[in-house]
Amino acid sequence: MPDAEFEELLARAAEEGAKRALADVGLDGSEAAMDVRDLRGLLASLRFVRRTAVQTTVHLITTGVILALLAGIALKLRVFGSGG
């Protein structure tokens, strides 16, 4: 079998395999490109939500630590009555 014919056969087999794989996951219709864009948008939104949740958690922990330090300083300086 000549190399050119083998490469053509291989290219057709790869294309058919790719089409079958896309059909297996439901991305074979005319709206497949829109579905892929929607999936990419969904993943981007998920990444944004995860990043925001981590930032919010860090912000809350930092605020709690600062408030605890301020309360300790206030008690130490006897700002609230006799204090100990």
Side-chain angles (χ1 to χ4, degrees):
M1 178 179 288
D3 284 346
E5 187 178 331
F6 179 71
E7 287 182 17
E8 176 66 29
L9 182 66
L10 188 62
R12 279 190 299 189
E15 185 176 343
E16 288 298 317
K19 286 180 182 178
R20 188 175 303 143
L22 287 172
D24 286 347
V25 296
L27 293 173
D28 59 340
S30 61
E31 296 182 5
M34 188 170 58
D35 291 341
V36 170
R37 278 193 295 274
D38 288 345
L39 287 171
R40 286 181 179 167
L42 182 62
L43 286 174
S45 297
L46 183 62
R47 288 184 190 111
F48 176 74
V49 167
R50 185 173 45 212
R51 185 174 59 242
T52 303
V54 169
Q55 288 175 347
T56 301
T57 303
V58 169
H59 180 77
L60 287 173
I61 291 171
T62 304
T63 303
V65 168
I66 290 173
L67 287 174
L69 287 172
L70 288 174
I73 291 170
L75 289 175
K76 193 69 171 177
L77 294 176
R78 297 180 182 172
V79 173
F80 301 114
S82 61

